Amino acid sequence: MRKLTYFVAVSIDGFIGGPDGDGRFFTEYVDEEFLEYLKAEFPETMPTHGRRMLGIDDLENRQFDTVVQGRASYDLALEIDVTSPYAHLRQYVASRTVEKSPDPAVEIISEDLTGRIRALKEEEGPLGVYLCGGSRLAGELVDEIDELVLKTYPLVLGSGMPLFASGFGFRRFALESVRTFGNGAVVSRYSRTR
Ligand SMILES: NC(=O)c1ccc[n+]([C@@H]2O[C@H](COP(=O)([O-])OP(=O)(O)OC[C@H]3O[C@@H](n4cnc5c(N)ncnc54)[C@H](OP(=O)(O)O)[C@@H]3O)[C@@H](O)[C@H]2O)c1
């Protein structure tokens, strides 16, 4: 059984972006130390165009071989004319409105999202499934999430897009590891307790 891991950048007060979801301001925290960490531990979570700019598009996947994102998150790539933002991963985009995928490397999941995610998790293999976000997709899949990796940056936003757009409920996690960085970021890894 493979894990579904929500790997995400978040403010201290639990927002993944401003009210419109834009979280580009988090990138100001990606200094040399943090970038080295991402390159060593999670290189596949960087989009292909970013990896190419950094000259690291040959780095092997460490944690994930598949990515799932919501249509609104995928739109951000389309806005910059990138139709295959994670070309080094198998890519799925959840959408009920997109009829045809703009890229042969990206599969649209329009029906039975939970069933499709469970099928991906049931595949054999050493690497897991990267739940990229955003908030609405994470809210829909909250009960399928096996692992959380939160990149918490030292920033309070007051309001914004929550980590999960989901209803109230207790979903318990156990803290597996914490790593702190000179830029004030904390990366916390939690596993689901069932
Ligand atoms: N901080 C971070 O690390 C991080 C990471 C990722 C994203 N983000 C931010 O998140 C924002 C987008 O988040 P969001 O919550 O607005 O949208 P989202 O979760 O990216 O996408 C929502 C869309 O996914 C589709 N969807 C959701 N549930 C579905 C289901 N059960 N079956 C089929 N399709 C389903 C729907 O698409 P249709 O409307 O087409 O049906 C829905 O409108 C972006 O602004 C991005 O910057 C931040």
Side-chain angles (χ1 to χ4, degrees):
M1 189 84 173
R2 306 187 315 142
K3 286 181 189 159
L4 179 68
T5 301
Y6 188 24
F7 174 92
V8 64
V10 64
S11 67
I12 291 172
D13 49 347
F15 298 110
I16 65 167
D20 61 354
D22 190 352
R24 276 174 290 193
F25 47 80
F26 288 131
T27 57
E28 78 181 65
Y29 291 99
V30 182
D31 61 6
E32 199 178 330
E33 181 196 17
F34 202 69
L35 184 60
E36 285 309 311
Y37 167 74
L38 293 176
K39 279 159 62 178
E41 301 291 334
F42 296 97
E44 64 273 41
T45 60
M46 288 185 255
T48 306
H49 47 287
R51 286 160 55 105
R52 199 167 298 136
M53 265 180 350
L54 291 166
I56 57 164
D57 48 1
D58 57 342
L59 286 182
E60 270 184 33
N61 298 338
R62 298 292 309 272
Q63 321 265 344
F64 311 116
D65 61 16
T66 304
V67 61
V68 185
Q69 57 180 327
R71 191 264 311 152
S73 297
Y74 180 52
D75 276 351
L76 299 178
L78 296 183
E79 279 168 18
I80 55 166
D81 293 326
V82 173
T83 57
S84 178
Y86 294 97
H88 48 285
L89 298 172
R90 199 157 40 129
Q91 301 174 77
Y92 294 92
V93 169
S95 174
R96 296 188 183 96
T97 61
V98 176
E99 284 175 10
K100 186 177 182 304
S101 173
D103 193 292
V106 175
E107 186 176 329
I108 304 295
I109 300 179
S110 56
E111 285 178 5
D112 188 20
L113 175 69
T114 302
R116 294 293 306 276
I117 296 299
R118 286 186 183 157
L120 288 173
K121 286 166 57 170
E122 277 163 16
E123 287 177 3
E124 297 291 324
L127 300 180
V129 181
Y130 166 30
L131 174 58
C132 174
S135 182
R136 279 177 288 167
L137 187 68
E140 290 268 329
L141 291 173
V142 63
D143 293 322
E144 294 304 317
I145 291 174
D146 304 296
E147 190 176 53
L148 280 174
V149 179
L150 303 183
K151 294 173 283 177
T152 306
Y153 295 113
L155 189 65
V156 169
L157 295 174
S159 67
M161 184 171 278
L163 199 49
F164 294 98
S166 61
F168 177 80
F170 290 96
R171 290 97 182 184
R172 297 182 196 281
F173 288 82
L175 182 63
E176 298 292 344
S177 66
V178 180
R179 181 147 169 196
T180 58
F181 296 84
N183 62 4
V186 176
V187 176
S188 323
R189 195 166 197 145
Y190 297 88
S191 61
R192 188 68 177 261
T193 54
R194 305 268 182 195

